[in-house]
């Protein structure tokens, strides 16, 4: 029983260690990498762009021209059925609805042209050699993908941290002579003069960010995607997270497109579908300061050709290395075995749209979370993410020698937890640390043997609010790198927090934190007990805790580890507490969701300027949104008409584990550095 998890016997622990080790061992056997830029630096880019390109397609099908694909979609039984439905509901003639569908499809569809692909191959080669030291790809993963494309329809699911992701993906597939994907892209890009059409001709198809209740648009979109999938005309590529992660944490997966690409398997229209998780890791993110400013409320710049041209100045910067890891293709057929009864789909004609059954929706949701976890497992971590984690727990700065020593310690801890760490072979630690600081000199600097975060120098006198904003940009930019390692440490960190603050209710506190943070981190639904067991195993494995008889006890050498983990989660705990304080003390009954983020940010700014808060990450809109989502899910906050947010309803949560009570408990003197006084 979950509530008895803290009473595992030594026998059970031994079984757990064995099983967990067996489960984690495959993650340690990862492929090696090859730098695809090495050849580009030593040969002609023009010759590379104009070389023979003849990829093998699914079951040898011939490529489908754009006009032929549109005709197949418009003539499909599924779309005709919806057109007739919309016609009956609106009273308009089917021919008029058909014309609307044709216009939608014309706006949406890609028009892949090899000449455009070759142009991008040439231009990107020039840009990548300037921007990056290496672009590393696991060639074994490429070989697996090549085999998968020939056997079954393939869906490519990359992580999404930068605008560069989809260009990089097509560049790599062209390099290895693989079929280029058709890529789901937001309508924002279509508004870019010239560039939007170039993207369309390189494989992008454009979709609206939100469909609302537009039944016709959804039918055209879903049928377009399913037609490409059923016929195997090209691999389909989209981002499960839906948008770029401004924090570099994985985002909660969106299920719309995944439902669409899996449905043909459920209906028996294809034998199987291969989902390929792809992890794209940047040593230095092109948009790092832009993301920080967006999180602080600065509007996202509109995508435009002029903006792209102005961004040319980034070509003078060094952005280190990129690692792209193509994971093992995941068979939907194997995943669904014993979980989904496909025979129920035979009870209705295939062309009639149906809402996914609860069993199906649960399967798709679980699959999405598992894919994102696979993306996280194969993210390549550079030394800087460890250094950033330490610097954020020492905002006043650290002696360079101490930072170096602590980075080595953290490296060992990360490796023992199966982190995919790229640490230069045979290089002295001091050199690794200094080269990381040099690459990220815009975020940290060394002065007098001491390392501290860099704060942008103002051009003239600034107000306290402006100075605070500059400091927050620096902290949030640094946090985007620390966030890249959180998936490695998250579970033991939640257990460490539970141990340090509610030692007599460790599992209950862990479970509460797990539920509370399930919008901030990728925590697979229903895995609370499994994650608790993994956390126990990892802390025991590294000697931080022991489990004599029926207790979880910190060892004599466990204090540094548990303290580090506690500090790792502290910004999130403080952020959630500030949101609770605002809703309890300041929020009016008429507060809308649109007003919520500026109001909480203003409240946090006042606390910081008054010296009552030192956690700049509380200013992040991402954290504020996730905190609100958690409070709504836990029924601590309720929405009423007109999207108003009510005050915290503390009676809806167990008094012993109310969010406010836990947050206040976590800030008691002597337990953690008290950010809120």
């Amino acid at each position: 029983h979950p509530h008895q998890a803290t009473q595992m016997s030594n026998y059970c622990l031994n079984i757990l260690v064995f099983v967990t080790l067996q489960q984690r061992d495959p993650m340690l056997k990862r492929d090696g990498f090859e730098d695809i830029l090495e050849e580009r630096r030593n040969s002609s880019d023009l010759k590379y762009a104009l070389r023979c390109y003849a990829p093998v397609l699914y079951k040898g099908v011939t490529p489908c021209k754009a006009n032929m694909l549109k005709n197949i979609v418009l003539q499909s039984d599924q779309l005709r059925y919806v057109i007739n439905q919309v016609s009956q509901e609106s009273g308009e003639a089917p021919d008029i609805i058909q014309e609307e569908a044709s216009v939608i499809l014309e706006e949406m569809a890609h028009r892949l042209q090899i000449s455009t692909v070759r142009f991008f191959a040439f231009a990107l080669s020039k840009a990548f050699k300037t921007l990056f030291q290496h672009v590393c790809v696991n060639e074994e993963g490429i070989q697996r993908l090549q085999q998968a494309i020939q056997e079954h329809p393939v869906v490519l699911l990359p992580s999404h941290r930068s605008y560069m992701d989809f260009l990089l993906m097509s560049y790599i597939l062209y390099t290895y002579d693989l079929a280029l994907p058709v890529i789901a892209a937001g309508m924002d890009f279509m508004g870019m003069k010239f560039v939007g059409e170039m993207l369309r001709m390189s494989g992008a198809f454009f979709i609206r960010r939100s469909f609302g209740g537009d039944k016709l648009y959804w039918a055209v979109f879903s049928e377009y995607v399913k037609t490409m999938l059923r016929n195997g005309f090209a691999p389909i590529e989209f981002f499960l997270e839906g948008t770029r992660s401004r924090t570099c944490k994985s985002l909660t997966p969106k299920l719309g497109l995944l439902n669409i690409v899996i449905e043909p398997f459920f209906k028996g229209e294809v034998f199987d579908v291969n989902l390929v998780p792809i992890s794209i890791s940047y040593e230095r993110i092109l948009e790092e300061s832009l993301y920080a400013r967006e999180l602080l409320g600065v509007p996202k710049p509109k995508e435009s050709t002029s903006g792209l041209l102005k961004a040319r100045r980034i070509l003078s910067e060094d952005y280190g290395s990129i690692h792209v890891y193509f994971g093992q293709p995941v068979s939907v057929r194997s995943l669904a075995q014993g979980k989904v009864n496909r025979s129920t789909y035979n009870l209705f004609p295939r062309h009639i749209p149906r809402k996914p059954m609860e069993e199906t929706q649960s399967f798709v949701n679980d699959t999405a979370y598992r894919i994102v976890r696979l993306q996280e497992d194969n993210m390549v971590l550079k030394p800087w993410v460890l250094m950033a984690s330490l610097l954020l727990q020492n905002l006043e700065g650290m002696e360079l020698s101490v930072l170096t020593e602590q980075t080595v310690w953290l490296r060992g801890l990360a490796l023992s937890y199966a982190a995919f760490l790229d640490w230069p072979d045979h290089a002295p630690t001091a050199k690794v640390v200094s080269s990381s600081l040099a690459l990220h000199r815009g975020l940290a600097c060394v002065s007098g043997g001491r390392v501290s975060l860099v704060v942008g120098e103002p051009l003239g006198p600034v107000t306290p609010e402006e100075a605070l904003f500059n400091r927050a940009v620096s902290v949030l930019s640094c946090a985007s790198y620390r966030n890249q390692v959180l998936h490695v440490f998250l579970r033991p960190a939640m257990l460490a927090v539970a141990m340090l603050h509610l030692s007599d209710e460790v599992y209950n506190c862990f479970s509460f934190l797990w539920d509370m943070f399930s919008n901030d981190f990728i925590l697979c639904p229903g895995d609370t007990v499994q994650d608790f067991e993994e956390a126990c195993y990892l802390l025991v494995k590294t000697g931080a805790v022991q489990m004599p008889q029926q207790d979880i006890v910190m060892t004599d050498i466990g204090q540094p580890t548990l303290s580090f983990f506690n500090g790792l989660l502290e910004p999130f705990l403080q952020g959630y507490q500030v949101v609770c304080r605002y809703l309890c003390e300041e929020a009016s009954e008429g507060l809308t969701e649109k007003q919520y983020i500026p109001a909480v940010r203003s409240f946090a700014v006042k606390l910081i300027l008054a010296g009552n808060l030192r956690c700049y990450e509380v200013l992040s809109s991402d954290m504020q949104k996730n905190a609100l989502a958690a409070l709504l899910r836990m029924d601590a906050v309720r929405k009423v008409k007109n999207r108003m947010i009510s005050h915290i309803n503390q009676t809806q949560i167990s008094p012993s584990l109310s969010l406010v009570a836990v947050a206040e408990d976590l800030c008691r003197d002597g337990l953690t550095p008290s950010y809120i006084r």
Side-chain angles (χ1 to χ4, degrees):
H1 190 281
H3 294 293
Q4 296 173 331
T6 55
Q7 300 178 349
M8 290 184 296
S9 65
N10 286 334
Y11 171 76
C12 290
L13 177 61
N14 290 334
I15 295 295
L16 168 64
V17 169
F18 174 76
V19 171
T20 308
L21 185 60
Q22 292 294 97
Q23 290 174 339
R24 294 185 66 84
D25 186 57
M27 294 193 292
L28 300 174
K29 299 175 182 176
R30 299 185 179 99
D31 305 336
F33 287 95
E34 294 292 332
D35 178 15
I36 63 174
L37 287 188
E38 185 176 350
E39 184 180 351
R40 298 275 52 75
R41 297 188 194 281
N42 299 306
S43 59
S44 166
D45 291 327
L46 184 60
K47 187 176 180 180
Y48 159 76
L50 297 177
R51 69 189 178 85
C52 176
Y53 173 67
V56 178
L57 300 179
Y58 168 57
K59 293 186 177 178
V61 301
T62 56
C64 180
K65 293 186 177 180
N67 286 336
M68 185 184 299
L69 176 61
K70 291 175 189 175
N71 287 334
I72 294 173
V73 173
L74 291 172
Q75 298 303 318
S76 68
D77 291 338
Q78 290 90 333
L79 186 55
R80 285 178 173 274
Y81 179 85
V82 173
I83 286 172
N84 288 330
Q85 265 195 329
V86 174
S87 174
Q88 292 172 11
E89 292 170 3
S90 66
E92 293 184 331
D95 289 347
I96 295 176
I97 307 300
Q98 175 88 9
E99 185 59 33
E100 288 181 24
S102 180
V103 171
I104 291 171
L105 191 56
E106 187 67 28
E107 175 190 69
M108 179 186 300
H110 77 283
R111 291 194 296 271
L112 186 64
Q113 294 185 9
I114 189 61
S115 57
T116 306
V117 171
R118 294 188 188 282
F119 169 79
F120 271 119
F122 176 79
L124 290 176
S125 287
K126 297 292 185 187
F128 288 164
K129 286 189 293 185
T130 302
L131 288 168
F132 304 109
Q133 298 171 14
H134 310 282
V135 174
C136 302
V137 179
N138 63 322
E139 292 194 339
E140 290 179 50
I142 291 291
Q143 293 167 10
R144 292 192 294 263
L145 176 59
Q146 188 173 40
Q147 184 67 31
I149 287 174
Q150 297 176 55
E151 295 175 349
H152 302 291
V154 163
V155 180
L156 304 175
L157 300 170
S159 56
H160 200 16
R161 302 292 181 271
S162 172
Y163 273 135
M164 194 68 69
D165 294 332
F166 67 91
L167 294 172
L168 182 65
M169 284 291 300
S170 295
Y171 181 83
I172 291 170
L173 296 184
Y174 179 81
T175 299
Y176 285 102
D177 209 31
L178 293 180
L180 291 177
V182 288
I183 309 155
M187 280 290 188
D188 312 351
F189 294 101
M190 200 175 73
M192 299 174 68
K193 292 180 181 179
F194 181 68
V195 174
E197 282 307 305
M198 291 284 288
L199 293 174
R200 190 193 295 276
M201 290 187 288
S202 64
F205 66 96
F206 297 100
I207 57 176
R208 298 173 189 168
R209 293 290 182 186
S210 175
F211 302 165
D214 194 333
K215 186 184 295 185
L216 182 63
Y217 190 93
W218 176 261
V220 173
F221 165 61
S222 60
E223 189 57 27
Y224 180 73
V225 173
K226 286 186 284 188
T227 297
M228 289 187 289
L229 184 89
R230 285 191 295 257
N231 294 282
F233 292 140
I236 295 168
E237 178 186 324
F238 63 91
F239 301 107
L240 259 180
E241 297 164 284
T243 187
R244 291 171 297 155
S245 171
R246 270 69 172 173
T247 61
C248 290
K249 292 189 284 96
S250 295
L251 305 179
T252 302
K254 306 294 188 295
L255 305 182
L257 258 168
L258 192 61
N259 265 310
I260 289 172
V261 298
I262 289 179
E263 186 181 284
F265 166 73
F266 288 146
K267 290 186 173 181
E269 296 171 318
V270 296
F271 181 78
D272 199 0
V273 176
N274 279 324
L275 308 177
V276 183
I278 301 166
S279 308
I280 306 177
S281 310
Y282 294 89
E283 185 171 10
R284 184 181 167 202
I285 304 160
L286 275 73
E287 303 98 327
E288 68 180 22
S289 62
L290 177 67
Y291 285 167
R293 286 175 166 79
E294 284 186 41
L295 292 171
L296 292 169
V298 177
K300 170 188 150 186
K302 186 178 179 181
E303 286 80 4
S304 66
T305 305
S306 60
L308 180 64
L309 294 174
K310 290 176 184 176
R312 286 178 301 172
R313 63 179 181 276
I314 68 172
L315 293 174
S316 62
E317 295 282 332
D318 179 4
Y319 288 89
S321 301
I322 302 176
H323 286 77
V324 183
Y325 192 97
F326 288 79
Q328 185 78 34
V330 176
S331 161
V332 172
R333 188 178 190 87
S334 298
L335 283 180
Q337 190 72 34
K339 296 179 182 177
V340 178
N341 181 10
R342 291 199 297 157
S343 63
T344 58
Y345 285 86
N346 297 326
L347 302 176
F348 301 89
R350 287 176 176 172
H351 69 273
I352 298 179
R354 295 179 58 211
K355 286 187 68 175
M357 295 177 293
E358 187 176 337
E359 173 190 64
T360 303
Q361 197 62 29
S362 176
F363 168 77
V364 172
N365 188 57
D366 183 65
T367 299
Y369 273 87
R370 303 294 169 185
I371 292 292
V372 178
R373 283 296 307 275
L374 289 171
Q375 290 175 348
E376 289 183 330
D377 286 338
N378 291 321
M379 284 289 186
V380 175
L381 307 177
K382 303 293 281 188
W384 173 248
V385 305
L386 306 179
M387 296 163 62
S389 302
L390 294 164
L391 287 169
L392 285 170
Q393 294 191 34
N394 297 272
L395 290 179
E396 70 285 355
M398 300 178 70
E399 293 296 325
L400 179 58
S401 59
V402 174
L403 176 62
T404 303
E405 178 186 332
Q406 289 291 301
T407 301
V408 172
W409 168 78
L410 194 52
R411 171 185 178 238
L413 190 64
L415 289 174
S416 69
Y417 287 3
F420 199 170
L421 191 61
D422 180 41
W423 191 279
D425 293 331
H426 312 301
T429 303
K431 185 176 180 181
V432 172
V433 170
S434 63
S435 63
S436 294
L437 287 169
L439 183 67
H440 297 277
R441 59 188 177 276
L443 292 180
C445 65
V446 183
S447 178
R450 193 170 182 80
V451 184
S452 56
L453 296 186
V454 171
V455 179
E457 290 294 328
L459 298 177
V462 296
T463 65
E465 289 81 3
E466 290 171 331
L468 185 154
F469 178 87
N470 290 336
R471 180 69 167 166
V473 167
S474 177
V475 170
L476 290 178
S477 297
C478 194
S480 68
Y481 293 96
R482 177 214 55 208
N483 290 344
Q484 295 177 35
V485 78
L486 285 177
H487 68 276
V488 176
F489 295 136
L490 175 62
R491 288 151 188 83
M494 289 193 295
L495 179 54
V497 170
M499 287 179 60
L500 288 172
H501 306 307
L502 283 175
S503 58
D504 55 338
E505 291 282 354
V506 173
Y507 177 79
N508 284 342
C509 187
F510 178 92
S511 178
F512 177 80
L513 293 170
W514 191 99
D515 188 24
M516 185 170 68
F517 288 142
S518 58
N519 288 90
D520 253 306
F521 307 108
I522 298 301
L523 296 164
C524 299
D527 277 6
T528 311
V529 174
Q530 180 179 323
D531 286 343
F532 178 80
E533 292 171 345
E534 180 181 332
C536 291
Y537 162 69
L538 292 173
L539 287 178
V540 169
K541 176 184 177 182
T542 49
V545 302
Q546 293 177 338
M547 299 182 69
Q549 298 178 348
Q550 299 176 353
D551 299 317
I552 304 175
V553 180
M554 182 175 67
T555 64
D556 293 338
I557 61 171
Q559 180 64 41
T561 301
L562 297 189
S563 294
F564 170 76
F565 285 155
N566 193 60
L568 203 62
L569 287 187
E570 193 165 0
F572 299 92
L573 292 164
Q574 300 301 328
Y576 281 50
Q577 182 182 358
V578 167
V579 168
C580 289
R581 282 189 56 182
Y582 170 75
L583 293 172
C584 283
E585 301 171 11
E586 300 281 334
S588 65
E589 286 295 324
L591 184 72
T592 64
E593 286 193 80
K594 188 175 182 180
Q595 297 166 334
Y596 161 76
I597 288 179
V600 173
R601 185 181 293 120
S602 177
F603 178 69
V605 166
K606 290 177 183 176
L607 290 175
I608 294 173
L609 292 177
N612 296 325
L613 176 66
R614 298 197 300 274
C615 183
Y616 292 89
E617 292 184 61
V618 173
L619 300 172
S620 165
S621 59
D622 181 77
M623 183 179 291
Q624 293 156 5
K625 289 175 184 175
N626 290 334
L628 178 61
L631 293 169
L632 287 166
R633 188 183 64 254
M634 300 167 78
D635 206 22
V637 171
R638 291 183 179 179
K639 283 193 289 187
V640 294
K641 292 180 181 179
N642 299 321
R643 295 183 174 269
M644 291 191 297
I645 303 171
S646 71
H647 63 278
I648 289 182
N649 184 355
Q650 297 187 50
T651 63
Q652 297 299 316
I653 297 181
S654 168
S656 63
L657 280 176
S658 74
L659 184 56
V660 177
V662 168
E664 289 175 350
D665 182 61
L666 294 179
C667 293
R668 289 201 308 261
D669 290 338
L671 291 178
T672 68
S674 181
Y675 282 91
I676 294 184
R677 300 168 188 271

